[in-house]
Amino acid sequence: MVTVKQLPREEYWLPGHAACPGCPASLGLRMLGKALEGRFVLVVPAGCTTVIQGMYPKTPSRVPLLNIAFAASAAAATGLRAALELRGIDVPVVVWAGDGGTVDIGLQALSGAAERNEDILYICYDNEAYQNTGIQRSGATPPGAWTTTTPLGKRERRKVAPLIVAAHRVPYVATASIAYPLDFVEKVRKAVSKRGFKYIHLHAPCPTGWRFPPSETVEIGRLAVETGAWVLYEIEDGVLRLTGRSASLLDPARRKPLEEYLKRQGRFAHLFRPENEQLLELLKMDIQENWEAIRSALERGGRIL
Ligand code: SF4
């Protein structure tokens, strides 16, 4: 297990950028920089990180960064990887995309790169909506959540992107959370040690869109895991195992009540009105079925297919 003391003191993402206070994306970028000690190339599609990175030549990023159209990050990373190889340069190429740029708009390029087993690491920081354009719902927004395009609460369930990617039979898929930085760092390091397509889905609570105070980002992320609303796992060569805090939470009796997580966020406030009981049940079913899929994989020795 890596410790904080083993991480470099060096910062690879400098202060002075345009993220909102308490931004999970900037926290994640900071951890990513330390995990790879600044030796990587970043591919960023449209999203909050586009705003954070700023406009050339004024950027807080200390790593080379390619800003690309929403749909194209996995394709651009593929080309970049090939170009670096031709030049004999062996550094990880990392996509850093939000949930909109991953589970919706970027999904076909992501699927193509995964199917070709391109040697890239794709990280989705999942803040569960299109936050920087005004909090519109995405395919990763949980059922029941308020967004500006689901003012009464989202009626649909969410795409389980890590399992969709794992179904491409890639060498490594993991989930992580900005509230568990060392777990994330370890997964990043393990991912880049493997050849082929790697995917990490990073849970990223957004104070702006989820409506909680900016000082509570890490606490909300921790509650998501402790209540089972978010699950930490990794899938290596098609075999799933629970990791970190989630490893002891397969038994629902060991999890905190889901309400402890939901009641801290303005986006779920309406779920506790009697007329929205069904919406709350839909959210609970979504979470429970995610756990059931994990349990059934574990009963098959972790095999997901
Ligand atoms: S909207 Fe959320 S994810 Fe985007 S910059 Fe603000 S805090 Fe960060």
Side-chain angles (χ1 to χ4, degrees):
M1 178 80 178
V2 65
T3 65
V4 174
K5 285 190 176 168
Q6 289 166 337
L7 295 180
R9 295 183 74 85
E10 193 87 14
E11 298 292 344
Y12 302 95
W13 202 263
L14 301 174
H17 54 68
C20 319
C23 174
S26 56
L27 271 177
L29 284 165
R30 187 173 176 217
M31 294 168 204
L32 174 67
K34 287 179 184 286
L36 299 180
E37 301 188 10
R39 230 182 99 71
F40 61 107
V41 179
L42 206 53
V43 177
V44 175
C48 287
T49 304
T50 317
V51 178
I52 297 168
Q53 85 188 29
M55 288 205 287
Y56 183 83
K58 292 181 180 172
T59 177
S61 175
R62 290 183 61 203
V63 299
L65 186 153
L66 175 67
N67 193 222
I68 195 75
F70 231 142
S73 21
T78 300
L80 207 53
R81 173 80 253 162
L84 288 170
E85 261 171 37
L86 278 174
R87 286 171 164 250
I89 302 170
D90 189 18
V91 292
V93 174
V94 182
V95 174
W96 180 265
D99 48 300
T102 301
V103 310
D104 296 337
I105 301 169
L107 189 58
Q108 62 85 15
L110 164 58
S111 175
E115 186 259 335
R116 296 189 306 272
N117 199 24
E118 300 290 351
D119 189 19
I120 59 178
L121 167 58
Y122 192 114
I123 300 177
C124 169
Y125 66 98
D126 184 0
N127 53 22
E128 298 186 344
Y130 293 79
Q131 304 291 2
N132 82 311
T133 47
I135 320 171
Q136 297 89 3
R137 56 91 86 192
S138 80
T141 303
W146 166 91
T147 67
T148 51
T149 47
T150 55
L152 302 178
K154 186 180 168 186
R155 259 50 188 172
E156 300 80 25
R157 298 185 56 191
R158 59 189 147 182
K159 300 180 195 177
V160 188
L163 297 184
I164 293 172
V165 179
H168 290 72
R169 298 183 173 86
V170 297
Y172 188 76
V173 172
T175 59
S177 162
I178 54 93
Y180 295 87
L182 299 179
D183 178 76
F184 175 51
V185 165
E186 278 193 0
K187 285 169 176 168
V188 168
R189 288 182 175 174
K190 185 186 274 192
V192 299
S193 73
K194 294 173 181 286
R195 285 284 167 190
F197 193 88
K198 290 84 59 173
Y199 179 84
I200 299 178
H201 200 102
L202 179 69
H203 197 231
C206 164
T208 306
W210 298 16
R211 297 171 159 192
F212 61 80
S215 59
E216 295 179 6
T217 304
V218 172
E219 211 182 325
I220 297 291
R222 211 175 284 138
L223 272 175
V225 172
E226 288 173 342
T227 58
W230 186 253
V231 191
L232 301 173
Y233 58 82
E234 61 184 4
I235 302 169
E236 271 187 277
D237 298 319
V239 177
L240 181 146
R241 71 176 191 97
L242 291 168
T243 62
R245 186 74 184 89
S246 296
S248 56
L249 298 178
L250 188 58
D251 176 0
R254 305 192 70 168
R255 298 174 211 151
K256 287 186 174 173
L258 182 64
E259 284 73 10
E260 283 191 29
Y261 171 60
L262 302 182
K263 285 186 171 170
R264 299 282 292 269
Q265 303 169 56
R267 65 175 176 156
F268 291 124
H270 58 287
L271 292 187
F272 298 96
R273 292 203 295 264
E275 68 270 24
N276 287 326
E277 202 178 318
Q278 277 187 329
L279 218 42
L280 180 57
E281 286 311 310
L282 181 65
L283 174 57
K284 287 183 176 171
M285 183 186 83
D286 190 69
I287 293 167
Q288 187 195 330
E289 289 196 358
N290 189 34
W291 275 104
E292 286 311 318
I294 290 167
R295 179 189 298 281
S296 104
L298 292 174
E299 284 167 1
R300 295 190 300 271
R303 294 229 70 88
I304 55 138
L305 292 176

